[in-house]
Amino acid sequence: MRIAIFGAGAIGGYLGAKLARAGVDVVLIARGPHLAAMRANGLRVLEGDDDFVAHPECTDDLNAVRDADAVFLTVKAHSLAGIAPQLSAALGPETAIVTGQNGIPWWYFQRYDGPLAGTHIESLDPGGVAARSIPIERVIGCVVWPAAETVEPGVIQHIEGTRFTLGEPDGTKSERCQALSAALVQAGLKAPVSPHIRREIWLKLLGNVSFNPLSALTRASLHEITGMPETRAVARAIMVEADSVARALGIEVQLSVDKRLAGADRVGVHKTSMLQDLETGRPMELEALVGSVVELGEQLDIDLPHLRTVYACTKLLAKTQQPQQAANEA
């Protein structure tokens, strides 16, 4: 099996390095100083007692996906509209797209017979570009659990977690999912194939929808947010509100809100992806992680006072960061 990773940053790079070290045929698609460093020195992964350097194939040529059996899409959700048409045109006839974005994916209500079936979420896929470009038949869902950071070009710090939960949108346990799972397991990763991938999406989203915006607003780590009673209470309230949206969609998350809070506390001083983006001047995944839940709450007529307040504040923060982002991109 040949696997391409499009967007080989912290998570994509970690996955690619593990696959390459295990002898899996993998190509990483990246750009800029990170790509140059990987080509020159390999990709270094810091894992405490198991630091290593892998030497996967690395390129900035999107056509490298053409002969891949599967492409892990690990770019940020807000980047999808810009790259989906070009990615679709480069795919081979049988290439699967494995969506590794945080939050609710653009395809969530396709191949789905629950409440709001067929709904288009504008905050996730403005104008429906991703949905038109990437047919649902190509899609494999993936919930990414590892936490990692790019500490410098070509060097990734793995914080914790090794699970990449896979699942077909229609709930079947397909041969392609099983083959992909086997490749990840060969690399020392956990890769269960779930017939309930949407439930897995909500399980992770309960944490992301609360901790990501709170961390951006306060510049605090997970441990700091959960360690202060006042902010822990706000995080819990947001989780409860998001859980009410999941339940209205027929999803019962298989972990209580309090256990989810305790799990976040155990991660320690890790910075959320949204805080990492804020500190480096990159756009935050606000709509995928928060705005989409607010939009669904409106469609389901569910009151989300805590979530709407934090969303509004973080949206204003993102707006004030735009000049810095533009400077970084210049």
Side-chain angles (χ1 to χ4, degrees):
M1 167 172 271
R2 179 167 171 81
I3 297 174
I5 298 176
F6 183 39
I11 293 299
Y14 169 69
L15 172 61
K18 296 286 281 189
L19 289 169
R21 184 171 70 159
V24 177
D25 185 8
V26 61
V27 56
L28 276 59
I29 301 171
R31 62 182 182 178
H34 189 54
L35 173 61
M38 290 191 294
R39 281 174 163 170
N41 307 310
L43 180 53
R44 186 181 181 194
V45 176
L46 308 178
E47 287 194 292
D49 295 334
D50 191 28
D51 294 355
F52 67 94
V53 177
H55 295 273
E57 178 185 348
C58 300
T59 183
D60 57 1
D61 185 0
L62 186 55
N63 288 314
V65 305
R66 194 171 304 280
D67 60 349
D69 297 289
V71 178
F72 271 87
L73 196 55
T74 50
V75 297
K76 299 290 187 179
H78 49 255
S79 303
L80 288 173
I83 57 93
Q86 296 91 332
L87 175 63
S88 179
L91 296 173
E94 301 297 327
T95 306
I97 296 291
V98 187
T99 57
Q101 286 70 46
N102 283 325
I104 297 174
W106 85 87
W107 53 262
Y108 186 96
F109 292 103
Q110 300 181 46
R111 288 196 169 178
Y112 169 81
D113 59 4
L116 302 185
T119 294
H120 167 68
I121 309 176
E122 181 65 15
S123 58
L124 293 177
D125 185 16
V129 174
R132 288 195 306 273
S133 302
I134 302 175
I136 189 63
E137 293 79 14
R138 287 193 183 270
V139 171
I140 295 174
C142 180
V143 180
V144 175
W145 289 97
E149 298 177 12
T150 302
V151 295
E152 62 181 83
V155 181
I156 292 168
Q157 174 76 58
H158 175 227
I159 309 298
E160 60 97 32
T162 61
R163 179 158 52 105
F164 293 78
T165 304
L166 305 168
E168 293 281 358
D170 64 3
T172 58
K173 286 197 172 184
S174 64
E175 290 184 6
R176 65 181 186 173
C177 267
Q178 301 286 1
L180 196 58
S181 172
L184 267 64
V185 170
Q186 178 182 333
L189 302 167
K190 297 177 181 178
V193 178
S194 173
H196 306 290
I197 192 64
R198 290 173 180 82
R199 187 172 67 192
E200 298 292 328
I201 287 168
W202 277 99
L203 175 59
K204 185 177 183 186
L205 182 56
L206 288 191
N208 280 338
V209 75
S210 56
F211 290 114
N212 270 272
L214 284 175
S215 69
L217 291 168
T218 64
R219 308 301 202 273
S221 69
L222 297 181
H223 179 70
E224 290 167 331
I225 293 170
T226 57
M228 181 175 173
E230 293 86 349
T231 49
R232 185 185 185 95
V234 175
R236 188 182 191 284
I238 293 172
M239 284 189 183
V240 169
E241 290 177 2
D243 185 63
S244 70
V245 176
R247 290 180 182 276
L249 293 173
I251 301 293
E252 290 195 19
V253 178
Q254 302 298 297
L255 194 67
S256 71
V257 166
D258 290 316
K259 287 185 178 179
R260 193 72 182 82
L261 279 167
D265 186 42
R266 287 194 296 271
V267 175
V269 296
H270 173 60
K271 295 179 180 180
T272 69
S273 60
M274 194 175 285
L275 179 54
Q276 291 180 48
D277 288 340
L278 179 68
E279 291 183 341
T280 54
R282 298 189 300 260
M284 296 182 288
E285 291 182 290
L286 181 60
E287 298 305 328
L289 298 182
V290 187
S292 58
V293 182
V294 171
E295 184 176 338
L296 288 173
E298 291 173 349
Q299 295 194 36
L300 294 164
D301 197 25
I302 298 173
D303 190 26
L304 306 171
H306 292 85
L307 185 54
R308 290 180 67 87
T309 299
V310 169
Y311 173 57
C313 292
T314 314
K315 194 170 185 177
L316 178 58
L317 174 63
K319 185 177 180 179
T320 63
Q321 294 300 306
Q322 287 176 355
Q324 178 62 46
Q325 293 166 8
N328 289 344
E329 293 170 359

